Amino acid sequence: MVSEFWNARYATDDYIFGTAPNVFLASQAALIRPGMQALAIADGEGRNGVWLAEQGARVHAIDVSPLALEKARKLAGERGVTLETEQVDVLNWTWPEAAYDLVAAIFIQFAPPPERDRIIDGIRRTLKPGGTLILQGYTPKQIEFATGGPPSAANMYTAELLREWFGDWDIQHLAEHEAIISEGTHHHGMSALIDLVAKKPG
């Protein structure tokens, strides 16, 4: 069971990816408007969903692990914000159509192709026209660094792949780069990253 794998990983009082938001997501704070509907995909222990809620967004945080979502709700309570949490296997979830103003997809590279295509199709479906996707992931070079993410290059992103998926959208930012990240014990050290901000046509 997928949830059992992730429950085992999250079965600690520590927040394994930390409690601070992803640095790239936080750098896009100007895009977050109070009252907007935001979806945090595979939000785990809630660091990104909670941050979005702190910016005034109404956040739907989904994850396969009930244990992680419990920690997310605890973190939200400590920060004085509300998260709507739902236990979801995103590979078998019915993505609501045109439901969100913002989708945050931060390191969601657990699914290999072709299953991954279901997630991409879901993102394309679930954003409202004019809505924004903020995505960060690893490029194949991350296999050399081994500082986070799955051990499979097939799961990683390239600029070409992201253009293939979202080239008909308004790509406002797309960059591959290397940086030292420190996000708990599971994302730590020099990393091969790719960032995307894309707006769905209105």
Side-chain angles (χ1 to χ4, degrees), residues 4 10 17 46 56-57 77 84-85 91 94 103 112 114-115 118-119 122 128 165 173 187 195 198:
E4 288 172 4
Y10 289 125
F17 296 109
E84 179 197 346
T85 60
L91 294 177
T94 302
V103 169
E115 291 90 341
R118 283 185 243 160
I119 298 175
K128 295 177 183 177
W165 291 338
H173 175 83
H187 286 167
D195 308 333

Side-chain angles (χ1 to χ4, degrees), residues 3-198:
S3 60
E4 288 172 4
F5 168 84
W6 287 103
N7 274 340
R9 179 168 281 197
Y10 289 125
T12 168
D13 289 339
D14 292 333
Y15 281 72
I16 64 173
F17 296 109
T19 56
N22 170 261
V23 170
F24 178 64
L25 178 64
S27 76
Q28 303 302 311
L31 299 176
I32 318 301
R33 299 184 310 279
M36 75 188 322
Q37 292 280 3
L39 175 68
I41 302 171
D43 198 41
E45 302 160 310
R47 65 194 180 104
N48 295 317
V50 166
W51 179 82
L52 287 167
E54 287 177 322
Q55 311 312 303
R58 288 178 290 173
V59 181
H60 185 195
I62 59 173
D63 199 89
V64 75
S65 166
L67 196 57
L69 292 172
E70 194 178 302
K71 293 169 82 172
R73 288 189 292 271
K74 180 183 174 197
L75 182 63
E78 290 170 356
R79 299 276 182 84
V81 295
T82 303
L83 283 185
E84 179 197 346
T85 60
E86 184 180 358
Q87 184 188 355
V88 161
D89 175 357
V90 294
L91 294 177
N92 297 298
W93 190 44
T94 302
W95 298 73
E97 190 163 354
Y100 302 101
D101 303 294
L102 178 84
V103 169
I106 306 298
F107 295 122
I108 60 164
Q109 290 169 297
F110 46 82
E115 291 90 341
R116 177 176 65 190
D117 295 342
R118 283 185 243 160
I119 298 175
I120 302 306
D121 290 345
I123 290 171
R124 290 179 58 87
R125 170 189 170 89
T126 208
L127 261 176
K128 295 177 183 177
T132 300
L133 167 65
I134 301 174
L135 174 148
Q136 183 173 65
Y138 292 118
T139 69
K141 191 175 181 186
Q142 176 64 12
I143 301 298
E144 298 171 30
F145 293 128
T147 50
S152 169
N155 291 44
M156 305 312 193
Y157 304 147
T158 63
E160 184 182 24
L161 197 55
L162 292 177
R163 283 196 192 96
E164 190 180 305
W165 291 338
F166 300 107
D168 57 335
W169 289 14
D170 176 14
I171 294 179
Q172 300 180 333
H173 175 83
L174 176 58
E176 295 186 42
H177 60 106
E178 295 173 14
I180 294 172
I181 63 173
S182 182
E183 300 183 347
T185 55
H186 282 62
H187 286 167
H188 194 81
M190 184 59 78
S191 305
L193 304 170
I194 187 163
D195 308 333
L196 173 74
V197 177

